[in-house]
Amino acid sequence: MAEKPDLFRTYPQLAVRVPHVGLCDLPTPVAAMPGLGEALGIESLHVKRDDLSAREYGGNKVRKLEFLLADAAHRGCREVLTFGFAGSNFAAACAHYARCLDLGCVSMLLPQENAAYLRDNLLVGLAAGAELHERDSVPALAADAAWQFTRHWLRHGRRPYWIPAGGSSPTGVLGFVNAAFELRAQVEAGDLPEPDRLYLAMGSMGSAAGLAIGLRAAGLSTRVVAVRVVEKKFAGARLLDDLLHQCCGWIGNLDSGFPVPDPAQLEVEVRDEFFGGGYGVIDSDTAKAIRRTAELEHLGLDGTYSGKAMTALFRDAAAGACAGKRVLFWSTFNSRPLAPLLADLDHRRLPTRLQRYFRDGER
Ligand SMILES: *Cc1c(COP(=O)(O)O)cnc(C)c1O
């Protein structure tokens, strides 16, 4: 479990400069999807199972936390402070793994469409002892975050470690640069052919950014297709470009031997047509793609992220854009059952405001 990341094996200088803690079970499995491939007319279709990235709480965010939480501990922080929507997978995973490393977690949350997974993620935070704050708007949340940051700093005499939404700081993005080197090792081992197209959902953009940088640095020519599932003000081609520049500059400074790609040449295909009317809103195309994937491959997807990425793949396949291509679908949500983490939890211990998700939900 605490194995050296593939990235560090190739670039030992990075291992000297960058703190890391093993939280994941890597590599995550790669599997062929012949049934879905046949239905979509794609001869070579595989899935990368990041939903199984860790034993207790999987999904794509744990890769980032291996670097973020190690950095926080290395800097002597006692707590992390992070951001997300109320049902944020990142906030939940962060709270859980912070607790595993004896770090506290303060989560600053924005309201979102109610869903069963949202309630589960709030409870994961509660179980981990995280401090949860919800505010109605981005400005109100930012103001409260500044206050919470100061309050915790005064209380502990140390600043909390600040983590942007989704864990997509350059440090967090390194988790996905590493994922690209992991994928290369799987290609070399014959687990899958080198993909032409890689589909994944894009929220805070760190996963797409890390893969785009890492794949090119690892010598693969795979094209990343990043399917936006959050509002335009949070993600898009321009914002992704900024993040790519920031990350490439940072990594180049860490290790001059690392083959940092030119961010302008990375050509990530950002897709805006699958937002489906709202974050966490499941439109009929997404529901259908999720149902078909379950029927043909027994593979579960979530409606907020991975289902929309799959909808893009369905649409492209129907339009002929995947003909003759080797396609990889990156599964990003957590598929581990959360019941073991949530036993005997009472949602009435949540802050009063957040309890409303339980009143008008079906729980
Ligand atoms: C956060 C998340 C994503 C998107 O990853 P980013 O790095 O934030 O773009 C995709 N799928 C799921 C299930 C997620 O929770």
Side-chain angles (χ1 to χ4, degrees):
M1 193 136 132
E3 270 210 26
K4 227 197 274 182
D6 289 288
L7 177 64
F8 286 179
R9 251 180 259 149
T10 318
Y11 296 100
Q13 167 80 13
L14 283 177
V16 178
R17 305 283 301 269
V18 181
H20 171 264
V21 57
L23 303 171
C24 295
D25 275 325
L26 300 180
T28 56
V30 162
M33 297 200 286
L36 187 56
E38 195 186 327
L40 297 178
I42 304 172
E43 216 161 284
S44 169
L45 177 62
H46 288 76
V47 57
K48 177 78 167 149
R49 298 290 305 271
D50 266 15
D51 54 302
L52 304 173
S53 66
R55 220 155 291 169
E56 291 172 339
Y57 191 109
N60 67 333
K61 300 308 186 307
V62 196
R63 291 185 181 276
K64 302 177 184 178
L65 288 166
E66 290 198 333
F67 292 91
L68 291 165
L69 295 178
D71 193 35
H74 179 76
R75 289 170 191 268
C77 298
R78 298 253 172 85
E79 297 162 306
V80 301
L81 186 147
T82 194
F83 300 84
F85 291 104
S88 167
N89 295 321
F90 180 72
C94 184
H96 177 72
Y97 289 106
R99 173 63 164 263
C100 294
L101 300 177
D102 265 331
L103 294 165
C105 179
V106 183
S107 297
M108 308 301 304
L109 306 172
L110 285 171
Q112 77 170 80
E113 187 87 4
N114 202 357
Y117 87 89
L118 174 155
R119 297 188 290 277
D120 281 349
N121 276 343
L122 286 176
L123 293 177
V124 169
L126 180 67
E131 206 181 286
L132 308 174
H133 302 275
E134 191 193 50
R135 292 290 172 266
D136 281 326
S137 65
V138 173
L141 194 77
D144 195 24
W147 160 238
Q148 296 301 339
F149 185 81
T150 311
R151 192 170 74 81
H152 282 261
W153 189 351
L154 292 174
R155 187 202 286 169
H156 296 288
R158 299 185 190 201
R159 325 154 160 248
Y161 184 84
W162 186 281
I163 304 180
S168 290
S169 67
T171 301
V173 166
L174 214 48
F176 268 88
V177 177
N178 181 51
F181 282 80
E182 176 183 311
L183 184 71
R184 180 177 75 176
Q186 289 176 311
V187 169
E188 284 169 350
D191 295 349
L192 78 165
E194 178 178 339
D196 299 307
R197 295 173 73 76
L198 185 166
Y199 284 80
L200 88 165
M202 180 172 74
S204 64
M205 309 182 295
S207 306
L211 283 172
I213 295 167
L215 288 165
R216 209 48 40 86
L220 302 184
S221 48
T222 307
R223 184 177 179 84
V224 174
V225 183
V227 182
R228 177 173 64 83
V229 304
V230 296
E231 283 173 56
K232 264 208 169 104
K233 65 180 176 202
F234 296 121
R238 280 275 311 276
L239 289 167
L240 177 62
D241 203 43
D242 292 346
L243 183 62
L244 287 169
H245 275 86
Q246 195 190 348
C247 293
C248 285
W250 182 74
I251 299 171
N253 282 334
L254 287 175
D255 181 355
S256 55
F258 186 85
V260 184
D262 174 356
Q265 312 267 302
L266 288 174
E267 295 182 347
V268 177
E269 189 173 316
V270 173
R271 304 289 291 273
D272 294 310
E273 330 88 282
F274 303 96
F275 184 47
Y279 176 74
V281 176
I282 306 179
D283 59 351
S284 60
D285 283 355
T286 304
K288 189 174 147 205
I290 293 173
R291 203 174 53 243
R292 290 287 283 155
T293 306
E295 283 165 6
L296 293 166
E297 294 295 340
H298 304 288
L299 181 74
L301 300 173
D302 74 293
T304 306
Y305 289 94
S306 56
K308 289 183 178 174
M310 187 57 92
T311 307
L313 172 52
F314 273 50
R315 186 90 56 88
D316 283 1
C322 296
K325 304 277 192 213
R326 291 162 301 198
V327 177
L328 176 63
F329 179 80
W330 204 286
S331 175
T332 44
F333 80 113
N334 165 55
S335 67
R336 299 290 189 195
L338 296 179
L341 300 179
L342 304 184
D344 298 329
L345 265 187
D346 184 351
H347 70 263
R348 282 164 301 189
R349 285 173 47 214
L350 285 165
T352 318
R353 227 196 109 113
L354 290 168
Q355 292 176 25
R356 76 177 189 286
Y357 289 111
F358 294 79
R359 276 196 292 278
D360 43 59
E362 57 263 27
R363 189 185 277 253

